[in-house]
Amino acid sequence: MSTTMALRPSYELADPSHRLYRGPNVSETTAVAAENAVIEATSLFGSHAHVAADADALAADAPAAMGAFRSLAPVPDDERALYGDEERVGRLPEDAGTVLRVLGDPIGSDDPLDWRAFDIDALLVRDGERALYHSIPHESHVREVYATDAPAYREAVRDAVSESLGVALYPAEPLLTWRVRETSYELTPTTLRYGAGDDRHGYSLDRLVAADPTRGGHGVDCEWRSLTATARDPIQRALGRVHDVFASDPPETVPTDDGATTEAVLGALSDLAGSLDYDCAVSPRRT
């Protein structure tokens, strides 16, 4: 899914190399604190940080954040990097603390965070014309890291989230891809996808209960929760019940056709279960 729509044309650069992912059990407080830690780390590598915000809403919902926002330099319309209500920019590293205050840092355990998701339209940290980090707070899947040929920056981001259980940095591309006869498969940090031609399916990994190697070792046996069981509010549960009735069932066995791919799939699922705090039991490959 492309997310460059949130950036003005001059910053529509290469696709992100990595994304910041959050697991299903991560609280909003932890997720926001982790992202702020990433922005703080990124500030050491960048030249400017842009923040776009709904100024009226921010003033009403988070006056301290609004005060910090107003202390950043306004961006003229013809120089804006982001789409949003109003845009301000800070120079780095000297304005890093102010940018973080705009984003509510430090985040208290009892802080209401709706404003952080909806009053902040977007943010971008860049080094000259090169994007380093891009986020749309109300779109939780848009946490984009541009670290191609920048291993020191990539490791700084990884270190920044290392203490946040359920938040992790992974490549933007699928972790694994393989093919069995006419069907292609791919595993991302959030989803198992597969299909042939136009017949495509995808299942969220937060539904996965268990993954075990098949007896022959050429596939992975899977146990899945219903959408109703993973829903987080009454509306989602109601929609989940409807979806469970009409949607195709997730696969009970995912074929791999060889032991090495089976081992790689189980290894990736085990890593994801640990780093993103999925409630999933993964068994080692049978010998």
Side-chain angles (χ1 to χ4, degrees):
M1 178 183 294
S2 173
T3 56
T4 54
M5 68 185 72
L7 298 175
R8 287 185 177 267
S10 62
Y11 288 94
E12 290 182 357
L13 306 178
D15 291 335
S17 62
H18 294 73
R19 287 191 173 92
L20 197 63
Y21 289 90
R22 58 181 290 187
N25 301 313
V26 174
S27 70
E28 198 63 25
T29 299
T30 297
V32 169
E35 182 176 33
N36 286 357
V38 168
I39 293 163
E40 182 175 13
T42 305
S43 296
L44 299 176
F45 295 83
S47 62
H48 297 81
H50 295 250
V51 183
D54 183 331
D56 291 340
L58 191 64
D61 298 335
M66 184 59 177
F69 183 69
R70 285 294 188 217
S71 70
L72 297 174
V75 180
D77 285 346
D78 61 349
E79 297 179 13
R80 290 187 59 170
L82 301 167
Y83 289 112
D85 180 49
E86 180 179 340
E87 184 174 328
R88 300 257 169 172
V89 63
R91 294 186 63 85
L92 300 174
E94 53 265 38
D95 290 331
T98 303
V99 171
L100 288 168
R101 287 194 294 276
V102 175
L103 303 176
D105 189 73
I107 299 295
S109 59
D110 297 324
D111 288 352
L113 293 173
D114 285 352
W115 69 268
R116 176 65 164 71
F118 297 104
D119 297 353
I120 304 295
D121 294 321
L123 62 96
L124 170 73
V125 182
R126 62 181 174 88
D127 182 24
E129 293 294 307
R130 176 172 173 262
L132 293 177
Y133 184 77
H134 171 231
S135 171
I136 304 175
H138 69 273
E139 298 281 1
S140 61
H141 62 283
V142 185
R143 304 288 186 269
E144 299 173 332
V145 175
Y146 296 79
T148 301
D149 300 323
Y153 169 50
R154 182 174 63 247
E155 289 310 306
V157 173
R158 202 181 304 279
D159 289 345
V161 299
S162 61
E163 300 300 319
S164 300
L165 180 62
V167 182
L169 182 72
Y170 279 103
E173 295 297 319
L175 301 179
L176 291 172
T177 61
W178 68 99
R179 190 176 184 88
V180 179
R181 292 174 289 281
E182 299 302 316
T183 302
S184 59
Y185 295 82
E186 66 177 36
L187 182 68
T188 79
T190 61
T191 311
L192 170 70
R193 302 184 182 124
Y194 67 93
D198 294 332
D199 183 22
R200 312 294 300 179
H201 304 272
Y203 299 95
S204 175
L205 295 183
D206 68 355
R207 297 179 60 188
L208 190 62
V209 176
D212 302 280
T214 59
R215 186 167 298 279
H218 289 182
V220 177
D221 289 332
C222 299
E223 181 182 350
W224 302 85
R225 298 177 184 87
S226 69
L227 278 177
T228 307
T230 56
R232 293 170 179 80
D233 60 56
I235 294 176
Q236 286 182 321
R237 284 193 292 274
L239 292 173
R241 282 192 290 270
V242 173
H243 191 281
D244 287 337
V245 171
F246 292 102
S248 61
D249 292 329
E252 293 183 357
T253 298
V254 177
T256 61
D257 261 5
D258 65 78
T261 303
T262 299
E263 191 166 6
V265 171
L266 290 170
L269 289 173
S270 179
D271 181 75
L272 289 168
S275 62
L276 296 180
D277 197 27
Y278 287 125
D279 186 14
C280 171
V282 181
S283 298
R285 177 172 177 252
R286 287 193 179 101
T287 58

